[in-house]
Amino acid sequence: MAAAAGSSVSMRVRPCLYANRISSLKSFSLPNQRSFLSFRVRPVPTRLRVSCAAKPETVEKVCAIVKKQLALSPETVVTGESKFLALGADSLDTVEIVMGLEEEFDISVEEESAQSIATVQDAADLIEKLVEKKSA
Amino acid sequence: MKMRCCFQRSFCSASSSLVPVQLPSPMETHFWYVLPDQVKSVSLLNQYMGLLSPIEKENVLSMPGHQLQKRALLARALVRTTIARYQINGHVDPRSLKFKKNIHGKPEVVWQSEDGWCQPHLHFNISHSSSMIACGVTSNSRIGIDVEEKQRKIKNNILAFARRYFSLHEIEYLSSISDSEVQHQEFIKLWTLKEAYVKALGKGFSAAPFKTFTIHVKTDYKRSFVLAEDLLFEASEIMVESLNDPKSLTSSWQFALLELVGSHYAAICMEKDKSIKVGMKVPVRLTAWKTIPFVEDECVSGTDAVIPIGGLIKL
């Protein structure tokens, strides 16, 4: 499973960068897809429709910033699915984390978008979207 | 009556029921807090666990680490036991309370209606820092509370943070403070007041982003005096101004700012009673208890544990 995911990641990343220009390639960006055919018949969650899944490196950087802000022990497992609230973050932590991410990635996050971030993955996806907008 | 309650300590054995309390009167807030460091008994924690719904239990156990689990557990136990004290329609088992979220995500009690009785208008809001969990309760009035440790470390530069998230007036206020420790304290106070307001509104953060409203604190006077059996504190006048909609009824919100047990700031925001004329200054009546549910309740309003530092407060 991991190997399959690994090979599909490298295919995913490149099309993702051009998602704005080549809309048909958005179908390649869904995680956990075993075949493109299965994508067409399965309903797609709204979040995945509008953003590509972020690179693992981005997710890792976000995890590191979150762990630092929340002063979590090194053994604490933080993944893309981790919810900020479930890691013990309160609203001030969440806002501080967003500021840390803005600094790290040199982006600017709208207040409304900042509030819709619930998981590490949400943050990573938003970051990539904003970084992409910057370079486009 | 309220001053006398400071000397009353009701000790209950762990097996006894919760000490019942009368509903708060209009313009009154009941403020209950628990200090996690004081709750060590494993059997007591298990007793609290027994009060939770299956989903709440799952949420508690999914937190990473014992401290976070304990905090989450105490938060749910505090909410359930606190609301159960108000024994509105006879004895209420904390276990039986059901909660839902309103359309914006704010937690509310689902009252089981019996024989079409009028639903009690009990409002509550909860907040916690790593060393305190608090629950505010009112009748008939929306409420939001926020507690923060005074010494809470801010990772970012305070003014950079303020420029990013606070309103212009608030940035100017913080910028005018030269002492960094005082600036830090004022920042935390402002944060708690803004959080309490947004939580009282109950419409989610996006309905009132922090930059769109200003908390004004007028400190032309600072006095306290005894009025009959109550202590009245006029620490300052705190008002909220909405920048998007200056005509909106922001004057219908009342604030109280407290220093708790020397280590925390707590902000309370509650809706003014509809009967109060616009512009009339009415104090927030406050009764505060330090509690270890099923073990000990100590009324602390009027003691050093609860010091009013902002707003108009009657103890």
Side-chain angles (χ1 to χ4, degrees):
Chain A
M1 182 76 146
S7 59
S8 64
V9 161
S10 55
M11 271 189 67
R12 250 183 15 228
V13 170
R14 261 176 281 123
C16 203
L17 290 173
Y18 301 105
N20 282 341
R21 293 177 230 160
I22 310 169
S23 56
S24 61
L25 283 173
K26 271 193 187 144
S27 62
F28 290 6
S29 67
L30 298 170
N32 302 323
Q33 290 302 312
R34 287 198 196 89
S35 82
F36 308 132
L37 288 173
S38 68
F39 156 67
R40 287 196 193 102
V41 298
R42 252 161 66 171
V44 179
T46 315
R47 183 177 72 80
L48 292 170
R49 251 187 241 124
V50 300
S51 67
C52 307
K55 295 196 276 281
E57 303 96 75
T58 310
V59 175
E60 264 165 46
K61 272 192 187 163
V62 176
C63 288
I65 289 171
V66 168
K67 277 176 112 159
K68 188 166 151 217
Q69 170 67 33
L70 303 180
L72 298 173
S73 65
E75 305 93 60
T76 311
V77 176
V78 180
T79 66
E81 265 130 39
S82 300
K83 287 193 195 156
F84 291 139
L85 289 179
L87 292 171
D90 60 15
S91 46
L92 184 46
D93 286 313
T94 307
V95 170
E96 288 230 82
I97 288 168
V98 169
M99 268 190 89
L101 297 175
E102 287 182 325
E103 252 182 57
E104 172 73 24
F105 293 95
D106 191 27
I107 47 172
S108 174
V109 179
E110 306 263 296
E111 224 171 326
E112 288 76 29
S113 309
Q115 287 311 304
S116 67
I117 294 173
T119 65
V120 168
Q121 189 72 49
D122 290 341
D125 293 345
L126 182 61
I127 288 163
E128 295 223 336
K129 199 168 94 176
L130 292 171
V131 166
E132 201 185 298
K133 258 196 206 154
K134 260 186 73 177
S135 52
Chain B
M1 196 163 53
K2 291 205 180 94
M3 280 182 76
R4 262 182 264 135
C5 91
C6 305
F7 305 109
Q8 225 175 38
R9 283 178 86 135
S10 32
F11 290 93
C12 325
S13 66
S15 59
S16 70
S17 44
L18 299 156
V19 177
V21 181
Q22 292 259 16
L23 281 173
S25 31
M27 290 322 295
E28 184 178 11
T29 297
H30 284 181
F31 189 91
W32 299 82
Y33 67 89
V34 63
L35 303 175
D37 291 341
Q38 292 186 350
V39 183
K40 295 194 173 87
S41 153
V42 174
S43 64
L44 187 59
L45 290 171
N46 284 334
Q47 193 179 353
Y48 294 154
M49 195 61 116
L51 303 175
L52 271 47
S53 71
I55 295 176
E56 287 172 341
K57 279 192 190 127
E58 215 179 280
N59 287 339
V60 165
L61 295 171
S62 71
M63 302 288 282
H66 174 72
Q67 283 309 315
L68 288 175
Q69 285 185 8
K70 186 175 164 186
R71 202 203 300 183
L73 171 60
L74 289 175
R76 292 319 300 163
L78 180 66
V79 173
R80 282 182 172 274
T81 55
T82 300
I83 292 171
R85 292 172 196 274
Y86 294 98
Q87 310 231 339
I88 295 139
N89 293 322
H91 175 74
V92 176
D93 181 349
R95 234 171 313 231
S96 67
L97 293 168
K98 288 198 170 29
F99 295 88
K100 66 167 193 217
K101 292 200 168 145
N102 75 2
I103 49 170
H104 303 288
K106 184 173 186 184
E108 291 173 352
V109 186
V110 179
W111 296 104
Q112 330 281 5
S113 100
E114 289 166 13
D115 314 321
W117 276 70
C118 210
Q119 300 301 329
H121 296 288
L122 199 75
H123 294 251
F124 76 93
N125 194 234
I126 195 162
S127 174
H128 52 69
S129 68
S130 56
S131 49
M132 176 185 289
I133 300 160
C135 182
V137 179
T138 56
S139 298
N140 255 327
S141 151
R142 284 184 286 170
I143 178 175
I145 69 168
D146 189 55
V147 299
E148 298 290 348
E149 281 173 4
K150 279 167 65 177
Q151 298 300 321
R152 182 194 178 127
K153 280 198 170 56
I154 305 296
K155 303 281 189 309
N156 295 282
N157 171 270
I158 283 178
L159 288 181
F161 187 106
R163 278 190 287 268
R164 186 71 189 70
Y165 289 105
F166 284 7
S167 73
L168 198 59
H169 183 272
E170 291 161 349
I171 298 165
E172 277 168 15
Y173 171 66
L174 288 173
S175 303
S176 70
I177 303 170
S178 49
D179 184 314
S180 62
E181 216 177 281
V182 175
Q183 192 189 66
H184 180 268
Q185 281 176 9
E186 294 304 303
F187 170 86
I188 303 274
K189 288 180 196 172
L190 255 184
W191 175 273
T192 58
L193 287 164
K194 288 174 85 78
E195 262 293 278
Y197 172 64
V198 172
K199 290 174 80 180
L201 283 175
K203 294 198 178 124
F205 197 91
S206 48
F210 271 25
K211 252 201 200 291
T212 65
F213 66 92
T214 295
I215 298 281
H216 291 277
V217 179
K218 257 181 16 193
T219 48
D220 336 310
Y221 50 82
K222 222 179 200 130
R223 55 193 169 145
S224 61
F225 50 90
V226 179
L227 189 74
E229 289 187 328
D230 297 322
L231 276 173
L232 187 67
F233 289 86
E234 289 187 62
S236 60
E237 199 180 335
I238 303 177
M239 290 166 301
V240 62
E241 178 200 344
S242 167
L243 301 169
N244 286 340
D245 185 12
K247 291 203 205 93
S248 75
L249 292 169
T250 51
S251 60
S252 53
W253 296 99
Q254 192 122 353
F255 292 86
L257 188 65
L258 314 164
E259 188 186 280
L260 292 175
V261 295
S263 59
H264 283 76
Y265 291 133
I268 300 167
C269 175
M270 63 183 284
E271 212 166 8
K272 276 189 197 161
D273 198 70
K274 312 280 190 291
S275 62
I276 295 168
K277 288 199 195 113
V278 175
M280 232 177 94
K281 273 194 260 183
V282 176
V284 170
R285 273 144 67 190
L286 180 74
T287 313
W289 288 268
K290 182 175 84 151
T291 178
I292 300 176
F294 300 123
V295 176
E296 180 183 301
D297 302 325
E298 186 186 342
C299 179
V300 290
S301 21
T303 70
D304 280 344
V306 179
I307 299 177
I309 54 173
L312 195 57
I313 300 169
K314 194 192 263 192
L315 296 176

